[in-house]
Amino acid sequence: MSATLSSEDRGFTLGDGVFDTALVLDGRMLARERHVGRLMAATDVIGIEVARGAVESAIDAALTGAPMILRTTVTRGIAARGLWPASTGAPTVVTATAPWSPALIGQPARLITATGRRNEFSPTANLKTLGYLDHILAAREAAQAGVDDALILNTRGNVACATIGNVVAVIGDALVTPALHEGCLPGIVRTLLIEAAPALGLAVEERALAPRELADARAVFLTNSVRLIRPVTALDGAELARAPDIEAALLAALRAALGMPKA
């Protein structure tokens, strides 16, 4: 089945929309309620009036038994020219899929620090919007440096995120991740780790995280719904510590929370 998108759709012309990416196994979208809830909350923030039933129906139509990455995009739809149109048509809801392999879980990552900064004061800083050019350029910077991803700082020089994931560090006996007001996304896996940490003997600290703290951390991870956790092995050429026991415990907790089989 193929779909077409109007050249006048505001998602295409202005990046006026939001999206979500989730993992599907055995015909089931993992953490579906969380993913759809976050997507609907984002449409509310930017004022796109879309029925949750329309989003749920689009997701249902895309599900198959094959392991897949499912992206759901919602745009404001077609409207007359102008940044804020007097009226719009129906919102656009589109799903797209790609194959998924369990080999994506746990792949180590080497990072550089991107030269660009994330604006933590932006009203869209905590939303998965279609305007990803800053992160695309950071990813290009990482590729040109021969590494796997880029660490993105906010305007105050604190850790915000990586190009496609949250940053989580184990510092002492605490799971530390940037607070949302530092400009990161409310990642689903980030939230699941925060919920699981106390049972693993880890305190939770959502706070400003300085880049220099990563050098002394017991372990640093990137998290997202496709790769779950990805250990960071180097930052700007300096090796970072790894903690296989912590990594295994966090991954096991994630698998349990998502209803995935044990590795």
Side-chain angles (χ1 to χ4, degrees):
M1 180 184 298
S2 62
T4 59
L5 181 70
S6 170
S7 61
E8 297 178 352
D9 191 284
R10 287 174 63 90
F12 173 73
T13 60
L14 296 171
D16 187 1
V18 291
F19 73 99
D20 175 82
T21 304
L23 181 58
V24 174
L25 296 179
D26 298 321
R28 180 176 66 91
M29 179 178 173
L30 304 190
R32 177 166 176 159
E33 182 65 27
R34 295 176 188 260
H35 279 283
V36 176
R38 184 180 63 178
L39 182 62
M40 297 307 299
T43 64
D44 286 343
V45 170
I46 66 174
I48 294 179
E49 297 182 5
V50 60
R52 182 169 182 140
V55 174
E56 297 275 14
S57 294
I59 290 171
D60 287 338
L63 298 179
T64 71
M68 68 170 71
I69 302 164
L70 173 64
R71 172 176 164 138
T72 307
T73 303
V74 181
T75 81
R76 204 176 302 276
I78 299 172
R81 289 181 57 82
L83 288 183
W84 188 249
S87 63
T88 60
T92 300
V93 181
V94 177
T95 57
T97 63
W100 178 83
S101 168
L104 291 172
I105 296 176
Q107 289 183 349
R110 298 161 298 149
L111 309 183
I112 59 165
T113 301
T115 54
R117 298 292 178 96
R118 186 169 177 86
N119 179 11
E120 69 273 26
F121 301 107
S122 167
T124 64
N126 301 136
L127 306 178
K128 288 177 73 73
T129 65
L130 300 184
Y132 248 56
L133 187 56
D134 286 350
H135 284 211
I136 291 169
L137 295 179
R140 182 181 71 169
E141 202 174 348
Q144 291 174 338
V147 298
D148 304 294
D149 205 340
L151 181 72
I152 301 176
L153 308 182
N154 64 21
T155 64
R156 293 176 287 203
N158 295 324
V159 174
C161 56
T163 64
I164 55 172
N166 289 104
V167 177
V168 174
V170 178
I171 300 175
D173 293 324
L175 186 80
V176 182
T177 191
L180 295 183
H181 63 250
E182 294 292 325
C184 66
L185 295 174
I188 304 299
V189 172
R190 171 188 181 274
T191 301
L192 291 174
L193 286 179
I194 288 171
E195 294 173 358
L200 300 177
L202 295 171
V204 175
E205 297 179 8
E206 295 181 75
R207 60 171 175 81
L209 178 61
R212 64 179 179 277
E213 294 183 82
L214 302 182
D216 297 322
R218 294 168 64 190
V220 180
F221 303 101
L222 306 184
T223 69
N224 69 23
S225 293
V226 173
R227 294 178 178 270
L228 301 189
I229 58 174
R230 191 175 191 188
V232 179
T233 59
L235 174 61
D236 296 326
E239 297 296 315
L240 298 184
R242 289 189 65 174
D245 55 334
I246 294 175
E247 181 181 340
L250 292 176
L251 183 54
L254 284 175
R255 287 183 177 275
L258 292 168
M260 298 174 66
K262 295 181 180 180

